[in-house]
């Protein structure tokens, strides 16, 4: 079983200090929502975000959307061999039921996540697909109890996806952590919770590309395509 | 060089026969656009699409968006070792400059593609990143002049991504064709232009998952991670 955490994910509602900014108020009015219930989105709130600390890391729910579609749609997830978590920049842990079929449409995804931030789970009735709680990354990792944590970062040891997959395969309960933010450095807290830093490409790759490379290599390493296709290895 | 064609891509403006449907008119009014300039989107035009032929294959620009982000963000594209094309259900060929940095935001992507359908290229000034022309798949393939065409389909010969990559590597000018629509069968025309049908998973996979698996396996096969990371193979 592979544990996948999208760490420092750029997913939050509009923070209090900019809820009265004219750009936020106009946006809220247009979509008939309350400012505090709107998901922060750099595409629409760029000016309002001007003075936010660490603004270069914030307001990118599209990164979470693409990456989750990449992970949840993988054959590895169909086999229930990967557990998917999000840990946000503002210290929320989000648990994702592997059966979740996320909306493909971005605006519907945003609506779903806004509901999640408001209520703590979606859907409201029946078995929840996404649930959320305030929790540090450290405490999320305590729950998972990994045998080893790997962080994907340009500052890690150069390693092809296949070399990484070989290491993952040897672990009882490995955790893969991939940054869910567009630019900037990892927090010290994240680095402290990392056992091994790995670099799969010298250039910065989009989060969903890193996710697909790691998962594809792991699938290949454990012979999943052969198994699913019933081909003799 | 690998040629990648997203075939039968679910990308078109609202067709004439439903431009007067109340759902389309309301949508057009809300966004202050003319119905004939709006991109068809099942998320918003579901009712209006009720009587369209082949409606199960149409109105999914998100598939094109995700898949292009997956291809253009790949190390293979950074090395300019893949050429990316779209061929739409309604017979337009779209040429994609490998340097294109697409909008990550879905709504901005839609705006860009609407402009492309209107003008035939984007951006309007300077070197075009996307250009479009009415062209059959047959004539697009004549331009590319492939040594062999491969179509990814559940009805193909079972083959792991790595087995497929081995075949691709042996070709001088191979074309990979992946369906850019959500459900339904390939057109006869597409099948006739296929030299080899390949199945990489027994279950239907999302288009962007197929794209990432094929590209990741090809990168691994040609030793691209080792080369970029300067690791001895």
């Amino acid at each position: 079983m592979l544990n996948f955490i999208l760490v420092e994910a750029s997913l939050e509602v509009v923070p209090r200090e900019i809820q009265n900014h004219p750009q936020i108020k106009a946006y809220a009015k247009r979509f008939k929502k309350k400012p505090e219930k709107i998901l922060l989105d750099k595409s629409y709130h760029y000016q309002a975000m001007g003075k936010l600390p660490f603004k270069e890391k914030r307001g990118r729910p599209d990164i979470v959307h693409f990456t989750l579609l990449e992970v949840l749609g993988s054959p590895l997830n169909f086999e229930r061999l990967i557990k998917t978590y999000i840990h946000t920049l503002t210290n929320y842990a989000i648990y994702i039921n592997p059966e979740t079929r996320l909306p493909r449409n971005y605006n519907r995804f945003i609506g779903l996540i806004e509901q999640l931030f408001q209520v703590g789970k979606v859907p409201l009735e029946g078995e929840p697909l996404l649930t959320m709680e305030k929790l540090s990354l450290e405490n999320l990792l305590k729950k998972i109890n990994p045998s080893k944590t790997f962080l994907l970062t340009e500052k890690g040891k150069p390693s092809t996806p296949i070399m990484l997959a070989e290491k993952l395969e040897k672990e009882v309960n490995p955790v893969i952590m991939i940054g869910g933010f567009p630019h900037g450095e990892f927090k010290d807290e994240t680095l402290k919770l990392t056992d091994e830093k790995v670099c799969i490409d010298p250039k910065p790759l989009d989060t969903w590309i890193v996710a697909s490379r790691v998962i594809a290599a792991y699938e290949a390493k454990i012979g999943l395509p052969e198994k699913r296709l019933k081909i003799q290895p």
Side-chain angles (χ1 to χ4, degrees), chain A:
Chain A
M1 175 68 78
L2 189 60
N3 298 282
F4 178 97
I5 312 180
L6 190 62
V7 293
E8 303 190 25
S10 191
L11 198 69
E12 62 182 311
V13 290
V14 171
R16 192 161 311 207
E17 61 255 55
I18 64 168
Q19 282 173 9
N20 285 318
H21 188 283
Q23 194 180 34
I24 300 292
K25 283 163 84 175
Y27 185 89
K29 194 178 167 191
R30 183 172 169 209
F31 291 98
K32 300 189 180 79
K33 292 175 183 174
K34 292 184 181 170
E36 68 272 21
K37 293 183 179 172
I38 291 170
L39 219 54
L40 187 69
D41 191 327
K42 195 181 161 185
S43 277
Y44 308 117
H45 312 139
Y46 185 78
Q47 286 167 285
M49 288 173 67
K51 287 177 185 167
L52 279 187
F54 306 107
K55 64 177 177 181
E56 77 284 358
K57 291 175 79 172
R58 301 170 77 172
R60 289 292 305 276
D62 57 295
I63 293 179
V64 178
H65 188 213
F66 297 146
T67 307
L68 285 184
L69 286 175
E70 195 61 50
V71 178
L72 297 174
S74 67
L76 195 64
N77 187 53
F78 295 167
E79 297 282 339
R80 303 291 179 257
L81 293 174
I82 186 166
K83 267 194 190 170
T84 313
Y85 305 86
I86 300 170
H87 191 265
T88 75
L89 280 168
T90 46
N91 280 314
Y92 285 96
I94 301 174
Y95 305 92
I96 299 163
N97 185 324
E99 288 176 23
T100 306
R101 192 181 148 79
L102 285 181
R104 272 51 181 154
N105 179 277
Y106 179 67
N107 303 307
R108 291 195 198 287
F109 172 75
I110 294 297
L112 186 84
I113 300 296
E114 283 175 348
Q115 195 181 41
L116 177 67
F117 271 82
Q118 218 177 311
V119 190
K121 63 171 186 175
V122 286
L124 290 178
E125 315 221 326
E127 198 191 353
L129 295 174
L130 309 183
T131 53
M132 190 172 104
E133 64 174 333
K134 190 90 187 177
L135 193 73
S136 67
L137 181 59
E138 185 174 6
N139 283 329
L140 174 60
L141 284 170
K142 275 185 189 155
K143 281 192 178 187
I144 299 172
N145 191 22
S147 57
K148 189 167 181 178
T149 61
F150 297 84
L151 180 71
L152 277 287
T153 159
E154 283 165 75
K155 295 183 178 166
K157 190 182 164 196
S159 164
T160 67
I162 287 290
M163 286 162 64
L164 171 59
E166 281 165 5
K167 289 181 185 173
L168 292 172
E169 201 207 0
K170 286 180 193 147
E171 293 294 326
V172 186
N173 194 32
V175 164
I176 277 285
M177 302 193 288
I178 301 183
F181 55 90
H183 305 288
E185 305 286 324
F186 283 101
K187 294 179 189 177
D188 283 344
E189 189 202 349
T190 307
L191 296 171
K192 274 183 203 154
L193 294 165
T194 298
D195 294 322
E196 186 168 339
K197 285 183 273 181
V198 177
C199 167
I200 61 165
D201 197 89
K203 290 274 167 64
L205 299 176
D206 292 314
T207 305
W208 53 92
I209 303 280
V210 179
S212 70
R213 290 302 175 280
V214 172
I215 294 173
Y218 187 77
E219 288 172 352
K221 185 64 204 161
I222 65 171
L224 196 62
E226 289 84 351
K227 186 184 156 207
R228 285 174 64 84
L229 293 163
K230 300 190 170 71
I231 294 176
Q232 296 297 331

